Each structure stands twice: as C-alpha cells, then as structure tokens.
Amino acid sequence: MTLPVVLISEEEIQTRVGELAEQLSTDYGETDDLVLVGVLKGSFIFLADLSRRLTIPRTIEFIAVSSYGSNSTSTGAVRLVMDVRGNIEGKHVLIVEDIVDTGHTLKYLIGMLESHRPASVKTCALVRKAERAEVEVQTDYLGFDIGDEWVVGYGLDYAEKNRTLPYIGIVTPDD
Ligand code: 5GP
C-alpha cells in the first residue's frame, strides 16, 4: 500500500499549532473559563497538541457528529451523535474542528452549542477547503487553507485509515 503524498509536513503542522496556541493564549488570557470542544473523531490529535501548548487555564469537552459515512460523499445533513457532558453555560467555548469542507458541520455545531447558553462560541479549524464552502460560517482561528482534495493524517481518516500519520497527506478516494 502506498503512503499518502505529503501536503502539509509534520514540521509545518507543529509550527502552526504553536502559533495558534500562542494567539489563543493571548486572546483568551483574561478568562479562566475557556472550554475546548473537540469534534470527534478527526480533531483528537489536533486538540491534544493544541491544548498542551496553551499557557492559560482550559477544560476539555468532546462532541460527536456524523455527516459522512465511510466514504467521502457529503449528504449535507448533520446528526448529533454525542453531546458535551459538562455544563458549558456561561463559559467561553472554542470549537476545535479538524476540517471545514462545505461548512454544514461547523454551522450546525455553532447553533447546537449556542443552545447551551455559553458566554461565547468561536471556532478553530486545522484545515479549510475554502473553495468548497456551501454555507457561510466563520473560522475564527485557522491552521491552513487547502484545495479540493481528500486529506488524511493528523487525526483525519479515509475509511478509518491513516488517522495517525504525523503529516497531512492526499489520497484519492476509492484508490
Ligand atoms: P462539512 O460539513 O464542512 O462539509 O464537512 C466537515 C467534515 O467532513 C469534517 O469534520 C470531516 O469529518 C469531513 N471531511 C471533509 N473533507 C475531508 C477530508 O478531506 N478528509 C477527511 N478525512 N475528512 C473530511
């Protein structure tokens, strides 16, 4: 089996994650009630690295949604599979997402989390495919913009494979 072609190297990812952590530590420096909400499964590595590099207090929650099956065809419909466990009312929520493609998932998540009455909801995505956007949704903190390619690694999978690659690479679905 051939390995995915490197699109964003491990070093580039680590540098950018460090920059995002520094920016977040500055922006949220005045609050001690920041909650990082990781979107399962794809954000688990990004969330782990990002949260360990923050220099401010934070707690961690997870949420799970499903919009894709085991292949890369979007239905546009997003379904909540697991809600946050802790009480996020009055807290500053930062959604930590692996990738923004059409934007449907992030838009749904913002609305869903706002219904818990937090003090604020912002978004942080590792990767965004700007040209694929179908709905307007704000990515407040962004790692990288990429083209219209299916990417894997650093938490991202294709049919559950390649999640633990240290870099982000390109695969052709149905290879
Ligand atoms: P959206 O709702 O923005 O279209 O899709 C967001 C979700 O689609 C992501 O959280 C991710 O699960 C999945 N997704 C979209 N593009 C890719 C990709 O290139 N690679 C992987 N692994 N997942 C993707």
Side-chain angles (χ1 to χ4, degrees), residues 50-87:
L50 185 70
S51 60
R52 285 180 294 180
R53 292 174 77 164
L54 291 176
T55 54
I56 52 171
R58 66 281 179 186
T59 54
I60 312 281
E61 291 287 337
F62 286 102
I63 199 164
V65 288
S66 99
S67 53
Y68 290 83
S70 61
N71 57 36
S72 56
T73 311
S74 171
T75 59
V78 183
R79 188 169 59 91
L80 184 68
V81 174
M82 187 189 89
D83 203 347
V84 289
R85 292 248 181 109
N87 182 8

